[in-house]
Amino acid sequence: MRNRKAVLKIGDYMSETFNITYGTPQGSPLSPILSAIYTANLLNASKQWEHSDLTMYIDDGAIYATSRTMNAVATKARDRFHKVLTWLYRNGLDADPAKTELMTFKKWTANHDLIGDTTLGLRYIDLVHGLSNITTTNSLQYLGIYLD
């Protein structure tokens, strides 16, 4: 963890060597341990959520929510996400809007008007990035597993 150095390479450009003064090296076995300790309070707070859950592995997270209608489940997921963003902000962390996706599933029913149609996306206010959008997707990868 001490006396670490790095260089920045972009295309053909290579910077001078510089010291790394904080953080764990990429792939360090300490990363999952430190992440679990640091985010334990966030995970504990999510235990109070009803009909939703938060899972995390190092710097990847997923929010799961259930409800009777597609609109209600999307709104619940967005509200939980906002709670996570607020916690991250207060603790010096940030979520990458470009890596934030919404995937919905619905139970087949003879009358699809009872649960609604697929949500196209959600807008939210990020304390760091301002007004942002969560893109709806039909397939995504989470921890190396593809869902579609």
Side-chain angles (χ1 to χ4, degrees), residues 53-74:
D53 193 17
L54 170 67
T55 63
M56 295 182 69
Y57 182 74
I58 307 176
D59 64 349
D60 286 326
I63 296 170
Y64 304 92
T66 62
S67 194
R68 291 189 175 268
T69 67
M70 297 299 281
N71 186 48
V73 77

Side-chain angles (χ1 to χ4, degrees), residues 64-122:
Y64 304 92
T66 62
S67 194
R68 291 189 175 268
T69 67
M70 297 299 281
N71 186 48
V73 77
T75 300
K76 186 180 293 183
R78 182 192 58 209
D79 292 347
R80 301 304 191 235
F81 181 57
H82 193 262
K83 288 179 185 263
V84 169
L85 288 175
T86 301
W87 188 94
L88 292 173
Y89 179 78
R90 290 180 179 158
N91 289 276
L93 299 172
D94 186 16
D96 184 354
K99 294 182 177 180
T100 304
E101 298 173 304
L102 172 69
M103 185 174 204
T104 58
F105 302 89
K106 63 182 174 181
K107 182 178 178 181
W108 186 89
T109 179
N111 185 352
H112 98 93
D113 291 334
L114 292 176
I115 59 172
D117 211 352
T118 304
T119 303
L120 299 177
L122 295 171

Side-chain angles (χ1 to χ4, degrees), residues 1-65:
M1 296 298 293
R2 295 180 185 213
N3 301 322
R4 292 181 295 130
K5 300 188 181 296
V7 296
L8 176 64
K9 182 176 181 185
I10 301 174
D12 293 334
Y13 170 78
M14 187 173 298
S15 73
E16 297 291 325
T17 302
F18 58 91
N19 293 323
I20 300 176
T21 57
Y22 62 91
T24 56
Q26 182 71 26
S28 169
L30 283 177
S31 292
I33 296 165
L34 294 175
S35 176
I37 292 169
Y38 196 78
T39 59
N41 289 336
L42 172 60
L43 289 167
N44 192 44
S46 72
K47 288 181 183 180
Q48 307 304 314
W49 298 354
E50 291 187 21
H51 306 291
S52 51
D53 193 17
L54 170 67
T55 63
M56 295 182 69
Y57 182 74
I58 307 176
D59 64 349
D60 286 326
I63 296 170
Y64 304 92

